[in-house]
Amino acid sequence: MKFTKMQGIGNDYVYVDCTKTELKNASEVAIKVSDRHFGIGSDGLILIKKSDKADFYMEMYNADGSQGKMCGNGIRCVAKYVCDNKLTDKDEFSVETLSGIKILKVRKDDKGLVSLVKVDMGAPILEASEIPVDVNNLKNYSNREDKRVIDETIEVDGKQYKVTCVSMGNPHAIVYIDNTIDIKDFPLEEIGPKFECHPAFPEKVNTEFIQVVDNKNLNMRVWERGSGETLACGTGACASLVATNLNGLCDSNATLHLLGGDLNITWDKEENTIIMQGPATTVFTGEIEV
């Protein structure tokens, strides 16, 4: 199998061009190639396919073989792949995902290679049942009228946290960390799995731990369902901007500072759509027996 290893601010995936050939047992292949000791090493596998509804179709799998609906960093790398490998000559095109069709715009360097990608991520989903969140597993859920989960209380491993939930095609729980601690010292490996598998989240959940620096800058670490901690999560950054704005803690445009780098996120409230802008990088290409 020929592949390309790519990363978007440290969120790395193995990419395979399936526009002309088919890859069987993609879930098993994802587990094999993601292994950082015996495989290529990645947060998962992304297949680029033809689409009847858009210019391309993105099919993604997490490191544990589970299929994901959407990946913000992954889709930026898809844009770079299809442009750099001449699968399209467009600077603006569409990619179908399990969470809908996304519109991407690319910026190229003086060599004609993609250096920056802007993605219209669509509207955030806020209704609890659509995220989904089982509000019966929250403590004293207070927002039954408009059915959102904003600044609600959840008990995890005997401790109570305030949580805001947003879906960007995949479910996210946003939690705020005190600014008195270094976010790098936060015990994510211990707490992240307990959020991921909490009964409030019937499809498991990605959890973002946020520090508000000011109304234009947010620090973020993320525990992704099926992958564990990753250096970045594009949909998570979008969800975090929405959640933090809903809590009155930041503007509708801000920079998210993740361990792997920065993403600029804008919530266009007039159009009710989220715009994500960030880099995409090719690491290496190769071939592996699967």
Side-chain angles (χ1 to χ4, degrees):
M1 180 186 79
K2 293 182 179 180
F3 70 88
T4 299
K5 169 83 175 276
M6 305 183 78
Q7 59 91 5
I9 61 170
N11 198 189
D12 60 337
Y13 287 86
V14 172
Y15 292 77
V16 179
D17 179 0
C18 292
T19 57
K20 294 175 183 171
T21 59
E22 183 182 353
L23 177 66
K24 297 180 179 179
N25 304 318
S27 179
E28 295 174 18
V29 173
I31 295 170
K32 179 176 180 178
V33 301
S34 297
D35 192 293
R36 295 190 184 277
H37 298 287
F38 299 100
I40 298 165
S42 68
D43 292 323
L45 172 71
I46 291 180
L47 311 181
I48 301 169
K49 297 184 170 185
K50 293 180 179 179
S51 170
D52 295 330
K53 302 175 182 177
D55 292 302
F56 299 97
Y57 179 80
M58 180 180 88
E59 183 174 306
M60 69 158 294
Y61 296 86
N62 296 309
D64 67 353
S66 61
Q67 189 168 8
K69 291 183 178 180
M70 175 58 189
C71 175
N73 292 311
I75 203 169
R76 292 202 316 278
C77 290
V78 168
K80 180 172 175 63
Y81 186 100
V82 299
C83 290
D84 290 0
N85 288 282
K86 312 301 182 187
L87 299 183
T88 183
D89 57 4
K90 300 177 183 178
D91 289 340
E92 180 175 342
F93 49 89
S94 57
V95 176
E96 181 187 357
T97 74
L98 287 180
S99 66
I101 294 174
K102 311 300 179 186
I103 305 300
L104 297 86
K105 297 180 182 179
V106 300
R107 183 190 300 172
K108 297 177 180 176
D109 60 21
D110 54 7
K111 296 179 181 178
L113 301 177
V114 171
S115 58
L116 195 70
V117 183
K118 183 183 289 188
V119 187
D120 184 339
M121 299 286 285
I125 297 166
L126 301 175
E127 187 169 327
S129 62
E130 294 183 20
I131 294 173
V133 181
D134 181 352
V135 297
N136 295 314
N137 282 292
L138 301 177
K139 302 285 286 186
N140 305 315
Y141 179 61
S142 61
N143 215 0
R144 294 189 184 275
E145 283 194 19
D146 70 4
K147 303 177 182 178
R148 299 185 297 177
V149 180
I150 300 174
D151 197 34
E152 296 288 348
T153 302
I154 187 171
E155 187 173 306
V156 179
D157 199 28
K159 184 177 178 181
Q160 293 190 355
Y161 297 85
K162 289 292 188 178
V163 65
T164 298
C165 297
V166 179
S167 173
M168 291 300 306
N170 51 1
H172 294 272
I174 294 85
V175 179
Y176 295 94
I177 301 175
D178 196 307
N179 280 14
T180 58
I181 70 167
D182 188 330
I183 196 169
K184 292 180 181 178
D185 295 331
F186 184 75
L188 186 63
E189 297 80 6
E190 176 187 340
I191 297 171
K194 293 171 182 175
F195 268 91
E196 178 183 358
C197 298
H198 193 282
F201 308 112
E203 295 181 8
K204 298 188 177 181
V205 77
N206 306 286
T207 311
E208 285 72 39
F209 296 88
I210 300 294
Q211 277 184 335
V212 179
V213 179
D214 55 41
N215 62 357
K216 285 288 186 184
N217 294 276
L218 309 176
N219 294 330
M220 170 180 153
R221 283 180 69 186
V222 57
W223 184 271
E224 292 196 56
R225 60 175 183 172
S227 292
E229 181 173 20
T230 60
L231 295 179
C233 177
T235 56
C238 294
S240 296
L241 182 281
V242 171
T244 309
N245 183 263
L246 287 172
N247 280 288
L249 300 174
C250 78
D251 293 344
S252 56
N253 168 264
T255 298
L256 279 289
H257 304 283
L258 302 95
L259 295 184
D262 296 345
L263 290 173
N264 184 267
I265 311 294
T266 300
W267 186 6
D268 182 340
K269 293 187 176 181
E270 221 172 87
E271 298 293 332
N272 192 29
T273 192
I274 309 296
I275 305 298
M276 174 187 65
Q277 182 170 283
T281 304
T282 298
V283 183
F284 60 85
T285 62
E287 196 166 341
I288 187 173
E289 288 187 12
V290 294

